[in-house]
Amino acid sequence: MPTPVLMPQMGESIAEGTIVRWIKKVGDAVDRDEPLFEISTDKVDAEIPAPAAGVLTEIKVKEGETVAVNSVVATIGTSSDVSSGQEPEAPPAPPPVAPPRDAVVPADVLDQPHEKAATPQRKTNGRSATASKSVEDDSRKQRSSPLVRRIARDNDVDISQIHGSGLGGRVTKNDILEYIDTGTRDSGSGMPADRSSGESRTPNPESRVEIKPLSVIRKKIADHMVMSRRTSAHVHSVFHVNFSNVERIRHQKKAEFEQSGVKLTYMAFIAKAAVSALRKFPIVNASLDGHNVVYKKDINLGIAVALESGLIVPVIKHADEKNLLGLSRAIADIANRARSKQLKPEEVHDGTFTITNPGQFGSQFGMPIINQPQVAILGIGTIEKRPIVIDDAIAIRTMAYLTLGYDHRLVDGATGDQFMAEIKDQLEHFDAERL
C-alpha cells in the first residue's frame, strides 16, 4: 500500500515548510529513514528521512514551494506504482490577481479551495448586503495561520481590517507585521504604503555590485527576528562573570570526560548554571499567551548553532535531569547533527529557554533577540583572560560577559538581574562534586 510522505512540523508555532531540494527523484529506491528531501523553516534547515522503504513513485511539491505542515509532498510505493509523468501535479488555477512570480505561496492556502465566483444575490427583507458583509469578514478572519492570529491577539489587531497579500486575500505574517508597523496598507495591492519604490530599485549599470536573492532559511530567519522584536519588549542585562573556577575544574576533569568520548566545554557549565537559575526563577522559563502566563514544568534548553546558511536552535529536552556529562554529550550531539542536517523534527520544538554563543567568534557581548514564544535568551561573550581588580589589586582572571535578553512584558528588571546574579554565583562557585 502506498505510503504518503508528509511535510513535518519542525518547530513550535511553525505552520509551513519550504522544499529546498529533492535528494531522491521519482523512480528511485529508498530505504526507511534514508534522507529523502531537504526543507527549510524559520527554525531549522534539515534533511527529512523517508517514512518507509520502497520506491519514490510521485513528487507532489516542487523545489522552492511552501506548503502547510502535514501536507502530502510525495508518495512511496512500489516500482509498478510509478506514474508516467515525473512532474508534480499542476497547482489549482490562480485567483484573478496573481502574486508576483517570486512570491512564496502561503502554506495553508494550498490546502484551501479558491473562492467561488460571486453570484447574484436575492434580497431578503433588505438584509442580504449585511449578511454578505458578515460572511466576508468571517472568511477573511479565517484566511490566516495560527501564528498570524496569535500576533493579532497579542497586539490587539482586528485581522478583518488588513488587506491580505496572499492568495485569495489571505493575511500573511508579513502583512500583519507591516500593518502593526505602519497602521495602513494599500488596499489595491496588499503592499504597505511606504514600499512603493525601494525593493525593485535597479542599480546603476556602472556600479560594481552583485545581487543575489535571500536563501529560504535567511528569509524565514529575517521574518522571525522582526516578528520577535515587534512582539516582545526587549530589555538586556549584562554581567561580568569570573570563569577562573570553571577553568580550573575543566583542566582537572578534561581527561576523564575525554575517556567518556566527549569534550568538557564552557557551554556545558553555562547550561548547568542556567538550569539551576531557571528552577529558582520559573517566570524566565515561561511564555505569554495573550494575557495568560504559561508556566512550563519542563526545562528544555535551546542551543543556537551557527551554520553557513544561518542559525538554527535544536533543543535539549529535560535538561534539568542531566548532569554535566549528560549535558556535554547532548550539546555535542545536537550541534554535530544540526551541521549535518540530521536533526529530527521533535528536536527543534518545545524549547523554553535559549543560549547563544557569539563569543566563539570573538564578540565581547551582544544583545540577542528572544526566540519566540520564549521570554528570555542568554548570550555568551568571548571567554578570555583579563585584568580585573581584586581587593584593590590588579589580577589576571578568566572572564566573560553574559547578556540576558528578556521580555519586559513578563520579566521585570529586578527579576532579570536576580536571575543573572544566580547564574554568576553558580559559575563562580561551581562545586566540582556536582558533576
Side-chain angles (χ1 to χ4, degrees):
M1 182 176 180
T3 301
V5 180
L6 305 180
M7 171 64 72
Q9 183 165 14
M10 297 297 289
E12 190 172 359
S13 300
I14 298 299
E16 61 191 27
T18 301
I19 302 287
V20 176
R21 179 172 65 98
W22 281 101
I23 300 171
K24 297 289 187 177
K25 63 180 183 295
V26 171
D28 284 352
V30 295
D31 293 327
R32 181 182 176 86
D33 295 328
E34 182 181 8
L36 185 60
F37 61 99
E38 184 179 325
I39 72 166
S40 180
T41 72
D42 59 1
K43 288 196 173 184
V44 68
D45 197 358
E47 292 179 351
I48 305 303
V55 174
L56 183 59
T57 59
E58 185 181 16
I59 291 177
K60 293 179 176 289
V61 180
K62 294 180 180 179
E63 293 180 355
E65 288 189 0
T66 301
V67 296
V69 299
N70 294 324
S71 296
V72 177
V73 299
T75 304
I76 294 176
T78 63
S79 57
S80 61
D81 298 325
V82 178
S83 57
S84 57
Q86 297 188 9
E87 290 298 320
E89 295 178 1
V97 180
R101 182 181 298 270
D102 59 348
V104 175
V105 179
D108 41 346
V109 169
L110 297 180
D111 291 336
Q112 297 178 1
H114 292 298
E115 295 178 328
K116 295 180 179 179
T119 56
Q121 299 181 8
R122 265 184 273 177
K123 185 174 181 180
T124 305
N125 297 328
R127 299 177 60 188
S128 62
T130 303
S132 176
K133 178 66 165 59
S134 176
V135 171
E136 181 182 347
D137 287 346
D138 289 343
S139 175
R140 180 178 294 167
K141 289 179 181 179
Q142 293 301 317
R143 292 201 297 274
S144 59
S145 68
L147 176 60
V148 169
R149 292 193 289 274
R150 181 170 66 80
I151 296 173
R153 183 175 64 248
D154 290 346
N155 292 275
D156 295 325
V157 171
D158 183 356
I159 295 180
S160 67
Q161 301 301 313
I162 303 174
H163 294 279
S165 63
L167 293 180
R170 180 177 184 275
V171 178
T172 68
K173 182 168 66 175
N174 284 337
D175 291 334
I176 192 168
L177 293 180
E178 292 289 354
Y179 183 87
I180 293 169
D181 188 40
T182 66
T184 58
R185 298 186 69 83
D186 180 345
S187 60
S189 65
M191 295 300 290
D194 61 351
R195 294 178 67 186
S196 59
S197 65
E199 294 189 15
S200 61
R201 186 176 302 151
T202 302
N204 187 321
E206 297 181 358
S207 301
R208 293 179 56 82
V209 299
E210 181 181 7
I211 300 176
K212 292 183 177 180
L214 286 175
S215 65
V216 173
I217 191 172
R218 195 73 257 168
K219 289 178 185 176
K220 293 181 182 295
I221 289 173
D223 289 343
H224 191 66
M225 293 297 98
V226 171
M227 182 271 287
S228 181
R229 294 288 293 183
R230 286 173 171 155
T231 298
S232 295
H234 279 69
V235 179
H236 294 85
S237 294
V238 182
F239 275 57
H240 205 193
V241 179
N242 189 338
F243 275 80
S244 298
N245 184 47
V246 169
E247 177 71 6
R248 176 181 58 81
I249 296 173
R250 282 185 70 233
H251 281 297
Q252 289 177 353
K253 301 293 183 178
K254 179 179 178 181
E256 179 182 331
F257 272 64
E258 288 181 350
Q259 288 178 356
S260 299
V262 67
K263 291 183 178 180
L264 181 56
T265 65
Y266 290 114
M267 180 60 78
F269 286 91
I270 294 167
K272 187 68 174 175
V275 165
S276 296
L278 289 168
R279 282 181 180 146
K280 289 191 175 183
F281 299 91
I283 193 71
V284 184
N285 198 55
S287 65
L288 269 175
D289 182 12
H291 296 293
N292 297 319
V293 181
V294 181
Y295 289 93
K296 309 293 179 63
K297 300 300 183 181
D298 297 325
I299 296 178
N300 299 332
L301 286 185
I303 306 293
V305 179
L307 307 177
E308 290 184 4
S309 58
L311 192 72
I312 61 176
V313 187
V315 176
I316 300 174
K317 302 291 180 65
H318 307 292
D320 52 323
E321 298 176 1
K322 299 181 183 297
N323 59 16
L324 197 65
L325 178 59
L327 285 172
S328 297
R329 285 174 172 163
I331 292 169
D333 175 58
I334 61 173
N336 290 335
R337 288 190 294 110
R339 295 186 180 102
S340 60
K341 301 180 180 179
Q342 299 299 316
L343 290 173
K344 300 175 182 177
E346 62 270 18
E347 292 176 313
V348 290
H349 28 147
D350 298 329
T352 60
F353 183 82
T354 295
I355 302 176
T356 183
N357 183 23
Q360 63 184 311
F361 305 111
S363 173
Q364 293 292 306
F365 61 85
M367 302 296 166
I369 298 175
I370 297 167
N371 185 18
Q372 297 294 324
Q374 298 166 25
V375 296
I377 182 171
L378 181 66
I380 313 302
T382 190
I383 301 173
E384 61 185 4
K385 290 187 180 295
R386 296 177 190 146
I388 62 171
V389 176
I390 299 178
D391 296 331
D392 293 331
I394 296 178
I396 304 298
R397 296 290 185 269
T398 302
M399 306 291 295
Y401 291 105
L402 305 188
T403 302
L404 182 72
Y406 53 99
D407 190 339
H408 211 342
R409 295 179 304 164
L410 185 61
V411 182
D412 289 330
T415 303
D417 287 348
Q418 289 169 359
F419 176 83
M420 287 298 291
E422 177 66 22
I423 289 181
K424 176 182 173 74
D425 183 69
Q426 290 283 335
L427 291 170
E428 292 184 345
H429 302 93
F430 201 95
D431 184 359
E433 301 301 320
R434 295 193 293 126
L435 298 184

